[in-house]
Amino acid sequence: MLVWFLPLFLIFLLIGLPVFFGLLAAPGILLWLNDQARDGAMLYRNIYNGIDSFPLMAIPFFMLAGELMNRGGITHRLVEFSQAMMGHLKGGLAHVNVLTSMLFAGLSGSAVADTSAIGSMLIPAMEKQGYTKKFAAAITAASSVIGPIIPPSGIMIIYAYVMGESVAALFLAGIVPGILVGVSLMVTIKFMAKRYNFPAVTKKTTWSQRGKASLKAFFPLMTPVIILGGILGGIFTPTEASAVAAAYAMFIGLFVLKSLKWKDVPKVMTKAAMVSSVVLLLVGAAMAFKTVVSLSHAPEHLAAFVLGLTDNPYVLLFLINILLFVVGMFLDAGPAIIILGPILGPVFVELGVHPVHFAIIMSVNLTVGLATPPMGLVLFVASSVSGERVETIAKAILPFLAVEAIVIFLITYFPSISMTIPLLTGFAK
């Protein structure tokens, strides 16, 4: 009877029940009907146990670092740097949008923060340059998914916590796929720029101007260097790295750049706390949900079903990508990873897929789902920032989603794309 927990959960989502309550109500009802009251009590105790974790402390710290950077005007410096480097190209502001997302990804690790911060600056600027509002919103939403792929990444921290993998290995494995997504979007923009005659923003900047823009962006761009350098050098753990990143962001905002005021700090702290609480509550509920996954023997049933279809790992990886893509249309990446990771991960590891490789396949696929209609979260954020209808943005984003889907399959069938760096550094074996 317990195997019905997932269909019941989906029914709750369809009728509009918040994800947090659906994650608890679906298994709770089934445990009660199955006369397993003791397991039901364990389910709700696991909400706290799921949150009470040292590795998960990295999530609020990274979110705080992103908020401090955003409130301190760091986004503006990244846009200026990107514009100095790429503004002279045809379709320059669209390229700037993507490059800024790639740089901002190394600061916040959040697609929503990326869409909000960059969109509020670049969507109006792109409109003034002659781009349609729907195109500006679409490229902002499409490029924002790079945020959780290039480290630091909140969803990779969640995956590592749930599946017992190395956070450092996942961070390193996400570098090349994140860059590949960004480059593929820029190539698409280049072809679209010729067809639709997109404008360039400025004339080609001199090396002196680029140098000045680089100096202004130097301190923000040092954030990912400090994070990854500290982790790789064994100076601190990923959780400690998140605290260092938050402290560094506050220090440069208050004392170096002086773009952050003391009166802004309480607001930043409050916003970071609110966003973090939502994520951590979902993690706690999903970890409780995972209890019923194990009680129902769903992984074993799924493994038997999947292996009954075919024993060809390439066909299975294709099918699982389709499944994840569909799931990403309706469910946020964090809850989806916690729910499906324990079910799908063991199946593919048994077939010979490296656990870190599968983690990247799943993380990238579900992250792209954040920009996928009908329920992609960043589509709604882009709509809020731009004032354009979600349906209109959803149509405009389709070419970019197609390119990102191609990248997902490249990552899937060429493991070296994601595995080379963690293997060379010894964080994956």
Side-chain angles (χ1 to χ4, degrees):
M1 185 177 186
L2 289 179
V3 297
W4 289 97
F5 69 92
L6 194 55
L8 184 58
F9 170 64
L10 294 176
I11 290 171
F12 283 144
L13 288 188
L14 290 173
I15 63 175
L17 192 70
V19 175
F20 173 75
F21 295 106
L23 284 169
L24 298 176
I29 290 171
L30 290 174
L31 286 170
W32 177 68
L33 291 175
N34 214 34
D35 198 25
Q36 292 178 259
R38 182 177 298 177
D39 292 327
M42 180 179 66
L43 172 74
Y44 296 104
R45 283 199 303 272
N46 280 347
I47 299 172
Y48 174 78
N49 294 336
I51 299 173
D52 185 23
S53 164
F54 180 73
L56 283 182
M57 288 177 65
I59 293 176
F61 277 121
F62 277 130
M63 289 187 172
L64 176 59
E67 285 295 330
L68 288 165
M69 291 281 185
N70 190 26
R71 184 61 68 95
I74 302 301
T75 309
H76 181 70
R77 291 171 179 262
L78 295 180
V79 170
E80 284 186 351
F81 172 77
S82 302
Q83 191 164 315
M85 297 298 170
M86 307 196 74
H88 62 280
L89 299 174
K90 201 170 183 63
L93 263 186
H95 288 293
V96 168
N97 196 316
V98 176
L99 181 57
T100 305
S101 290
M102 294 170 71
L103 298 175
F104 196 78
L107 308 181
S108 72
S110 168
V112 172
D114 187 320
T115 308
S116 178
I118 296 173
S120 60
M121 289 186 63
L122 285 181
I123 291 176
M126 291 179 73
E127 269 195 279
K128 289 180 182 177
Q129 285 288 325
Y131 296 86
T132 61
K133 188 185 292 185
K134 64 180 181 181
F135 176 84
I139 189 57
T140 301
S143 64
S144 70
V145 304
I146 302 170
I149 302 174
I150 293 177
S153 167
I155 64 169
M156 289 184 189
I157 294 170
I158 293 172
Y159 189 100
Y161 169 60
V162 173
M163 301 299 291
E165 297 298 331
S166 163
V167 174
L170 296 192
F171 276 10
L172 293 172
I175 295 173
V176 176
I179 294 172
L180 189 58
V181 171
V183 171
S184 68
L185 290 175
M186 288 181 182
V187 171
T188 307
I189 290 167
K190 183 178 179 181
F191 284 108
M192 295 180 76
K194 290 181 179 179
R195 181 175 178 183
Y196 299 108
N197 195 29
F198 290 160
V201 187
T202 59
K203 295 180 180 179
K204 190 169 184 177
T205 53
T206 64
W207 284 107
S208 174
Q209 291 171 319
R210 290 181 178 182
K212 289 178 182 178
S214 300
L215 284 175
K216 290 179 71 174
F218 174 77
F219 288 107
L221 293 177
M222 283 299 293
T223 307
V225 175
I226 292 171
I227 293 170
L228 291 178
I231 294 172
L232 294 178
I235 301 171
F236 36 65
T237 67
T239 303
E240 292 165 346
S242 67
V244 170
Y248 176 76
M250 181 173 286
F251 178 77
I252 65 169
L254 288 172
F255 303 112
V256 180
L257 304 178
K258 297 182 180 179
S259 53
L260 185 69
K261 306 299 180 185
W262 281 108
K263 65 180 181 180
D264 297 326
V265 174
K267 294 178 182 178
V268 171
M269 295 281 191
T270 302
K271 187 173 181 181
M274 292 295 290
V275 176
S276 300
S277 65
V278 172
V279 175
L280 291 174
L281 275 175
L282 285 173
V283 171
M287 288 302 290
F289 192 91
K290 183 185 171 185
T291 304
V292 177
V293 172
S294 59
L295 290 172
S296 66
H297 302 287
E300 293 91 332
H301 294 314
L302 182 67
F305 173 75
V306 169
L307 294 175
L309 295 174
T310 176
D311 57 359
N312 187 323
Y314 296 105
V315 176
L316 290 175
L317 283 170
F318 176 82
L319 295 175
I320 210 64
N321 270 317
I322 300 300
L323 171 65
L324 291 173
F325 195 74
V326 173
V327 169
M329 292 180 181
F330 301 96
L331 196 60
D332 197 22
I337 282 173
I338 301 174
I339 295 164
L340 296 177
I343 298 175
L344 301 175
V347 176
F348 285 89
V349 170
E350 188 178 329
L351 289 170
V353 179
H354 195 286
V356 173
H357 181 213
F358 184 76
I360 295 302
I361 294 171
M362 192 169 191
S363 297
V364 175
N365 201 318
L366 291 171
T367 298
V368 171
L370 292 171
T372 307
M375 299 296 291
L377 182 58
V378 298
L379 290 179
F380 290 93
V381 177
S383 173
S384 175
V385 171
S386 66
E388 189 65 81
R389 290 169 58 87
V390 173
E391 304 93 297
T392 307
I393 300 172
K395 291 178 183 177
I397 203 173
L398 291 178
F400 302 117
L401 289 179
V403 171
E404 289 174 343
I406 293 171
V407 172
I408 290 171
F409 283 108
L410 287 174
I411 295 168
T412 300
Y413 292 113
F414 296 93
S416 58
I417 292 174
S418 54
M419 293 303 300
T420 298
I421 297 179
L423 287 172
L424 287 177
T425 54
F427 282 90
K429 297 179 181 179

